[in-house]
Amino acid sequence: MNLVAWIYFPARLAWRQLIFDRTKLIAATCGVLFACVLVFMQQGFRDALYASAASAPVKLNGDLFLMHKQSEAMWRPVRFKRSELMRALGHPAVAEVYPLYLGLAPFKNIETRSKRTLMVYGFDPDSLIFGIEEIKNKRTALRLKDTVLFDEYSRPEFGPMRQLLEAGRNVTEVNDYKITVIGFFRLGVSFAADGNIVTSDLNFMRIFPDRTRNDIDLGVIKLYAGASIKQVQTELISQLNEFVNIFTYDELLQNEKNYWANMAPIGFIFGFGTVMGLVVGLVIVYQILFTDITNHRHEFATLKAMGYEHGYFIRVVFASAFFLAILGFIPGYLFSLGLYHLAESQIFMPMPMTFTKAVTVFLFILSMCMTAGFLAIHKLKAANPADMF
Amino acid sequence: MSHVIDVHDLNFSFGSGALTQPVLKNVTISIQKGEIVLMTGPSGSGKTTFLTIIGGLRQAYHGSVRVLEQELINSSEQVKVSIRQQIGYIFQQHNLLKSLTAQQNVSMALEMQNSMTEQQRLDHAAEMLRAVGLGARLNYKPDQLSAGQCQRVSIARALVGQPKIVLADEPTASLDKQSGHEAVTILERLAKESKTTILLVTHDYRILDMADRIVELEDGVIKEK
């Protein structure tokens, strides 16, 4: 028997049986669609989490990064002495080093006067360690006392800052300290902070009076052009104290992602959500296939009496599972696409629908349906012509 | 060797141990090519069981059952599948596939024949349906056909593969007198044309006149009439 007929005929029968009962087909498709959307959303949120967790380091402009070994992630750093960063300057390949100060502080909404915590980045405006044009352009203005730039991608709870600024209302409080918002930049929110502002290192000390310039949260190291980052990293590790980590740019990103994926329960929650979505889908598809076999067992028994082999019916069941996967995935994909756009516009989380993600979710759904098919085929034994007639 | 069905001392029972219920006792019967044999008998006499054994649907262990030169006692699944493919089976209910049209239902019987193209299968099916008087209803689905018409489709399905044997299990039981008679007449005519052997189990005394031979099965024992 040739291969095309081997799979084509049972697949054709499966298809004809599926489209015969439209109501049941729609119900079945909805079940798969449901699982599909659930998995897409969990995956989307998870990736958004990782992407936003790394949004700050993504915009950092440096070759190597110094972090205290006890720091789990950038948003909850352990401080270390600035002198440790300065020691890196002793390496001949190191061109410049700059400290970055980080702090969470309440920001007062100018309109409602309610306070909400955001992330404050303090750095030397001339250092250009943020690769963001708006920050570079405002570096002279940021030198002035008590000036900050506000992240336009911050959550709306901080107030409609652009309109307020255009109306001339640009004075508010951060950590109960009066500051002036002089412009905007775009970075993006993360699970750690709902918003961001950047300011000069000097202003940072004014906002956080208990901080000193000698205790830094992150050190940014720039190397001379042509220096081998890996080699300098190895050499610096042997020269600096043990309590600092020296990350390359990629390692810093990975460190941030790992924190959210493994250290924080959030990564687990989304993984769990994905699994639950698949389990629910599995049960639904299994139920559908199982009832389908039960309903068709007379027909299957008849075909068996006509000389069809058992394998034919197994292929019918798997073909049904395959069609359900496809039929559920297509609307599920489109629906999720809409939800992704909604999420991006409403909660300001980056949720791109990538090709890889679509393929991954499809493979999830496909294996879910195939597993359901595998579990359902035992019911085929009920289609025994000798017991039926 | 013109016996297409040759049964010797067939014994069959359901259950095991103390609950053993013998159904067929030393059944011996030979049926020749082209013969139309009707089997009657009260319900519970083992007629259907006998038919399912001949048709390769049920495994028997004692005696000898040779169908189309193949021994079915203690046979392998492959032997049974190959016997099923050479036999046309007509059931008490029409047992058509609800989701398929009459033509598709009939051509399902040809799907296992790889030498045919799909178009040839459909043509054969259509031809067979015309022979049972349903040429105008090729694309009707079973729920759009009457019970008698459905049974005629299932007769077409049983005959389309030109089987050497047709087994029929009370084909008129679910039909009224008129359509039952029609169905059986068509079956008889087509079988005569192609010299097909028919073994037909029935309660229906109205159709006894079509038989070449009538046997009676009572309490698992065959009696020739």
Side-chain angles (χ1 to χ4, degrees):
Chain A
M1 184 176 263
N2 71 66
L3 192 69
V4 180
W6 185 81
I7 189 64
Y8 172 71
F9 287 127
R12 187 177 65 175
L13 180 65
W15 177 250
R16 284 170 175 174
Q17 289 188 332
L18 276 178
I19 58 169
F20 178 67
D21 193 344
R22 296 290 159 91
T23 339
K24 206 153 77 202
L25 179 63
I26 289 168
T29 309
C30 285
V32 181
L33 186 151
F34 172 78
C36 198
V37 169
L38 214 56
V39 172
F40 259 123
M41 291 321 284
Q42 297 290 341
Q43 295 284 311
F45 283 137
R46 197 198 59 183
D47 290 356
L49 166 72
Y50 297 159
S52 63
S55 62
V58 160
K59 299 291 169 67
L60 280 178
N61 188 4
D63 299 313
L64 289 170
F65 301 87
L66 231 56
M67 213 176 181
H68 199 288
K69 274 220 166 105
Q70 290 174 346
S71 291
E72 283 189 319
M74 266 179 73
W75 74 280
R76 53 199 311 178
V78 175
R79 278 165 232 156
F80 59 98
K81 291 289 173 203
R82 185 157 163 240
S83 55
E84 192 62 28
L85 175 63
M86 293 307 163
R87 287 177 53 169
L89 278 173
H91 193 284
V94 173
E96 298 165 347
V97 295
Y98 292 104
L100 180 65
Y101 303 94
L102 303 164
L104 290 166
F107 175 96
K108 187 153 101 184
N109 183 326
I110 295 175
E111 274 192 327
T112 64
R113 296 178 191 278
S114 63
K115 289 178 178 175
R116 199 178 175 96
T117 302
L118 47 54
M119 178 66 86
V120 184
Y121 294 88
F123 67 106
D124 177 356
D126 288 332
S127 68
L128 307 180
I129 57 173
F130 272 101
I132 301 174
E133 281 308 310
E134 296 98 321
I135 298 180
K136 286 182 186 171
N137 297 339
K138 285 276 170 90
R139 65 178 184 274
T140 330
L142 270 179
R143 282 239 156 271
L144 295 174
K145 189 168 176 283
D146 304 338
T147 53
V148 304
L149 293 178
F150 185 82
D151 181 2
E152 235 184 333
Y153 287 163
S154 299
R155 288 196 52 83
E157 283 82 357
F158 292 104
M161 292 302 293
R162 192 168 274 279
Q163 284 97 304
L164 288 167
L165 226 63
E166 279 162 6
R169 298 172 66 190
N170 58 359
V171 178
T172 182
E173 285 168 19
V174 175
N175 212 15
D176 298 330
Y177 182 80
K178 194 195 268 181
I179 52 94
T180 309
V181 178
I182 56 163
F184 296 100
F185 67 102
R186 289 172 181 179
L187 187 62
V189 299
S190 70
F191 280 72
D194 293 338
N196 304 293
I197 55 175
V198 296
T199 186
S200 71
D201 44 357
L202 294 174
N203 285 331
F204 186 89
M205 301 313 147
R206 293 183 183 114
I207 293 171
F208 297 97
D210 55 335
R211 296 287 299 264
T212 70
R213 290 189 65 198
N214 284 328
D215 291 308
I216 70 171
D217 297 295
L218 190 79
V220 182
I221 300 173
K222 289 187 190 176
L223 304 183
Y224 286 113
S228 156
I229 295 176
K230 274 282 164 200
Q231 194 192 336
V232 177
Q233 184 189 25
T234 324
E235 285 164 15
L236 278 180
I237 286 172
S238 65
Q239 285 171 22
L240 297 183
N241 279 319
E242 278 180 357
F243 62 80
V244 285
N245 274 324
I246 302 164
F247 290 132
T248 62
Y249 177 75
D250 292 331
E251 283 167 359
L252 181 69
L253 287 189
Q254 203 51 50
N255 184 60
E256 292 293 301
K257 285 185 182 177
N258 284 346
Y259 169 77
W260 291 106
N262 305 323
M263 311 282 271
I266 300 176
F268 171 77
I269 289 168
F270 289 123
F272 188 72
T274 303
V275 172
M276 286 319 285
L278 289 173
V279 168
V280 170
L282 179 77
V283 172
I284 295 174
V285 176
Y286 170 74
Q287 279 295 335
I288 291 162
L289 294 174
F290 187 89
T291 4
D292 230 37
I293 296 173
T294 313
N295 292 342
H296 289 126
R297 67 189 192 283
H298 278 94
E299 300 188 348
F300 288 165
T302 306
L303 292 176
K304 255 188 188 174
M306 283 159 59
Y308 282 81
E309 286 165 278
H310 190 68
Y312 180 90
F313 306 102
I314 293 178
R315 295 194 289 280
V316 170
V317 173
F318 276 114
S320 304
F322 179 74
F323 290 134
L324 286 180
I326 303 262
L327 288 177
F329 179 78
I330 294 169
Y333 170 80
L334 296 174
F335 195 60
S336 304
L337 206 60
L339 285 176
Y340 274 25
H341 283 301
L342 197 69
E344 280 189 331
S345 61
Q346 293 304 310
I347 59 173
F348 305 100
M349 282 261 174
M351 289 181 77
M353 176 65 85
T354 59
F355 179 71
T356 329
K357 195 182 290 171
V359 171
T360 312
V361 175
F362 178 69
L363 291 178
F364 274 153
I365 295 296
L366 188 63
S367 42
M368 173 190 92
C369 288
M370 289 303 162
T371 313
F374 185 75
L375 293 174
I377 52 175
H378 78 92
K379 186 64 189 168
L380 279 176
K381 293 204 180 82
N384 182 2
D387 300 334
M388 205 67 75
F389 310 119
Chain B
M1 287 301 283
S2 62
H3 289 167
V4 288
I5 300 175
D6 206 355
V7 180
H8 279 287
D9 294 329
L10 170 64
N11 283 291
F12 187 85
S13 44
F14 284 117
S16 58
L19 294 172
T20 304
Q21 180 68 42
V23 180
L24 299 172
K25 299 166 196 160
N26 295 320
V27 171
T28 299
I29 185 172
S30 293
I31 299 174
Q32 287 180 337
K33 185 171 178 354
E35 221 180 343
I36 298 183
V37 177
L38 261 61
M39 184 179 270
T40 61
S43 44
S45 59
K47 304 186 298 291
T48 299
T49 308
F50 181 69
L51 217 54
T52 53
I53 291 171
I54 304 290
L57 304 182
R58 192 183 291 282
Q59 183 70 66
Y61 304 96
H62 306 289
S64 162
V65 177
R66 289 188 71 82
V67 176
L68 300 171
E69 324 254 310
Q70 299 248 44
E71 179 59 61
L72 283 176
I73 297 295
N74 294 317
S75 59
S76 67
E77 182 71 17
Q78 274 164 321
V79 170
K80 280 184 284 180
V81 167
S82 116
I83 284 296
R84 289 175 203 166
Q85 291 180 355
Q86 297 174 61
I87 287 180
Y89 218 112
I90 300 167
F91 308 90
Q92 190 167 344
Q93 309 291 325
H94 56 75
N95 281 350
L96 297 176
L97 275 62
K98 294 204 292 292
S99 49
L100 305 189
T101 65
Q103 191 179 16
Q104 289 166 345
N105 259 298
V106 175
S107 77
M108 281 301 281
L110 299 170
E111 221 169 70
M112 289 159 291
Q113 299 188 13
N114 292 308
S115 51
M116 276 189 201
T117 66
E118 186 62 15
Q119 193 53 48
Q120 283 171 328
R121 290 193 186 99
L122 290 172
D123 290 347
H124 272 85
E127 201 181 307
M128 203 65 223
L129 281 166
R130 277 191 284 276
V132 298
L134 290 173
R137 317 225 158 206
L138 299 183
N139 294 318
Y140 284 50
K141 289 193 174 158
D143 51 11
Q144 297 164 312
L145 297 169
S146 70
Q149 288 169 331
C150 282
Q151 195 58 294
R152 271 145 68 191
V153 175
S154 84
I155 289 171
R157 179 174 66 179
L159 293 172
V160 71
Q162 292 168 330
K164 297 186 181 68
I165 304 173
V166 169
L167 302 177
D169 188 1
E170 306 200 27
T172 58
S174 56
L175 303 179
D176 59 60
K177 186 185 171 192
Q178 167 85 28
S179 45
H181 190 75
E182 265 174 32
V184 173
T185 314
I186 290 166
L187 178 61
E188 183 189 4
R189 172 168 56 80
L190 294 172
K192 287 281 185 222
E193 280 170 14
S194 56
K195 292 212 163 55
T196 307
T197 309
I198 296 183
L199 176 57
L200 191 147
V201 164
T202 187
H203 270 124
D204 190 346
Y205 291 95
R206 298 169 304 206
I207 61 172
L208 293 182
D209 55 339
M210 71 182 274
D212 296 329
R213 182 148 65 107
I214 298 171
V215 295
E216 194 172 335
L217 192 67
E218 195 167 346
D219 291 333
V221 181
I222 288 263
K223 289 181 201 155
E224 295 268 350
K225 275 192 175 174

